[in-house]
Amino acid sequence: AKEMFFDPLKERNVNTHIIVGNHDITYKNTLEVNSIDLLLDGYDNCHECGTPQTINMDGLDILLMPWICRDNFDHCWSEIRNSRAQILLGHLELNGFQMYKGMPSYEGFDAEEFSKFDLVCSGHYHHRSTVGNITYLGTAYEMTWSCYDDPKGFHIFDTGTRELERIINPYTLFEKIYYDDTTEDHSTYDVSKYKDKYVKLIVVNKKDLYQFDMFTDRLLKADAYEVKIIEDFSELDAENVSDDIVENSEDTMTLLEKYIDELDVTMDKDRLKNTMRSLYTEAQDLEI
């Protein structure tokens, strides 16, 4: 972090404000112990936002809002309700937005609480989305398979025009290959583009076993970080699905939701799905 981010900022004398988020803190109930304190030691150009604060840039007041927890709850909400700033930048958890593409979160505060601001931009959720005056910026790069086929990037906010420009990150980490030798000749397929990538080879049709073996051999030699081969098990009965097939499922949440749909129960299945989404998201955040 120092060599690739903080040192270049200091060399270029870039005045930087860094908002403390939930992944920067040691304890869930307080921001007092956080990694930003350690990282910013010796960087006079970088300023930690561990408490709510209003800064002025080019005559524009901007309220910076860190992760809201039990320890700072009253202070944060007092600033939100009393602030005269028209712009809020923060690390917020609001319900009704997508944590990952196609995976809405129903935890957190009501977005209506922030309606007084002209623009609210937030980190935390990995998928970029906009509803009303609130924009979740999404992550700057792919982190997990949940980020697949979901464009990433960073943003530039113009304090004069108040326009928010998105710069797309052209680099990806996760790629899928749909193998079907009935429609495509894979003997000439370019596998060099999968170098340093995480790859899922999804087998749709495999009629020519020799061609498939040659293709997978070339793919495995292409220096990908990881290659997972996933067969098409759509024709198998549920009773015959092995643990290996479950582990290789393409999308964990899709698998869970389908399983819940098939349960013979009278409970609210949508509520159960929301609970499973929350547990799944929390599990992804755990350090192992």
Side-chain angles (χ1 to χ4, degrees):
K2 288 176 177 288
E3 292 176 359
M4 300 183 69
F5 189 74
F6 292 106
D7 286 347
L9 288 175
K10 185 175 183 179
E11 292 167 4
R12 292 163 175 79
N13 196 31
V14 178
N15 190 31
T16 307
H17 296 267
I18 302 178
I19 297 172
V20 176
N22 60 310
H23 284 296
D24 304 316
I25 58 179
T26 303
Y27 306 107
K28 288 186 177 182
N29 63 340
T30 179
L31 273 57
E32 185 175 354
V33 182
N34 68 77
S35 60
I36 304 300
D37 278 337
L38 175 64
L39 288 169
L40 297 190
D41 185 34
Y43 296 98
D44 296 334
N45 62 305
C46 294
H47 314 285
E48 175 207 344
C49 175
T51 58
Q53 53 191 264
T54 299
I55 61 174
N56 187 281
M57 290 187 173
D58 304 323
L60 180 65
D61 283 341
I62 300 174
L63 176 60
L64 303 182
M65 185 60 52
W67 180 251
I68 301 174
C69 61
R70 188 176 67 187
D71 190 43
N72 66 5
F73 183 89
D74 292 338
H75 185 191
C76 288
W77 279 105
S78 175
E79 291 291 329
I80 291 170
R81 287 164 180 157
N82 297 319
S83 175
R84 295 185 177 181
Q86 296 175 328
I87 309 297
L88 184 149
L89 307 179
H91 199 100
L92 308 171
E93 184 177 38
L94 305 180
N95 63 57
F97 291 82
Q98 295 184 56
M99 168 64 82
Y100 298 103
K101 183 179 179 180
M103 188 188 301
S105 174
Y106 298 98
E107 301 295 328
F109 304 110
D110 191 332
E112 187 62 28
E113 298 278 2
F114 297 84
S115 61
K116 62 177 284 187
F117 298 97
D118 292 343
L119 176 67
V120 175
C121 294
S122 181
H124 189 53
Y125 293 155
H126 292 210
H127 176 68
R128 187 189 190 277
S129 63
T130 298
V131 177
N133 64 322
I134 299 173
T135 292
Y136 269 95
L137 304 175
T139 54
Y141 50 87
E142 295 181 348
M143 296 182 176
T144 70
W145 272 106
S146 296
C147 298
Y148 171 74
D149 194 28
D150 189 10
K152 304 299 179 182
F154 65 94
H155 295 73
I156 298 175
F157 176 67
D158 190 315
T159 54
T161 65
R162 299 196 183 187
E163 293 180 351
L164 187 65
E165 179 185 5
R166 189 187 192 195
I167 311 298
I168 296 295
N169 182 351
Y171 302 102
T172 59
L173 280 173
F174 302 94
E175 299 288 345
K176 293 180 181 179
I177 304 172
Y178 291 89
Y179 185 93
D180 186 350
D181 58 18
T182 64
T183 61
E184 184 176 359
D185 181 6
H186 287 75
S187 62
T188 59
Y189 193 94
D190 181 18
V191 296
S192 62
K193 58 185 176 182
Y194 298 110
K195 185 179 186 301
D196 299 334
K197 300 288 186 76
Y198 294 88
V199 181
K200 284 185 178 179
L201 175 59
I202 302 167
V203 182
V204 180
N205 279 300
K206 181 178 60 176
K207 303 297 183 181
D208 188 333
L209 297 182
Y210 177 76
Q211 182 183 152
F212 179 75
D213 287 343
M214 292 298 100
F215 175 76
T216 54
D217 185 59
R218 290 194 300 115
L219 181 61
L220 293 171
K221 291 178 180 178
D223 288 333
Y225 285 129
E226 179 183 74
V227 175
K228 286 187 176 181
I229 301 175
I230 302 174
E231 300 280 358
D232 182 7
F233 301 101
S234 59
E235 296 180 1
L236 293 180
D237 292 332
E239 294 179 354
N240 298 324
V241 177
S242 69
D243 290 340
D244 289 338
I245 294 173
V246 173
E247 291 175 0
N248 285 328
S249 178
E250 194 176 339
D251 186 327
T252 302
M253 275 311 306
T254 299
L255 178 68
L256 288 172
E257 290 181 359
K258 287 183 178 179
Y259 177 77
I260 292 171
D261 285 335
E262 294 174 1
L263 290 175
D264 185 16
V265 293
T266 58
M267 68 175 63
D268 186 340
K269 292 186 179 180
D270 288 335
R271 183 178 178 184
L272 180 57
K273 289 178 184 178
N274 292 338
T275 301
M276 294 305 295
R277 289 191 194 100
S278 299
L279 290 172
Y280 178 64
T281 302
E282 184 176 351
Q284 286 191 313
D285 289 342
L286 292 177
E287 295 289 343
I288 299 177

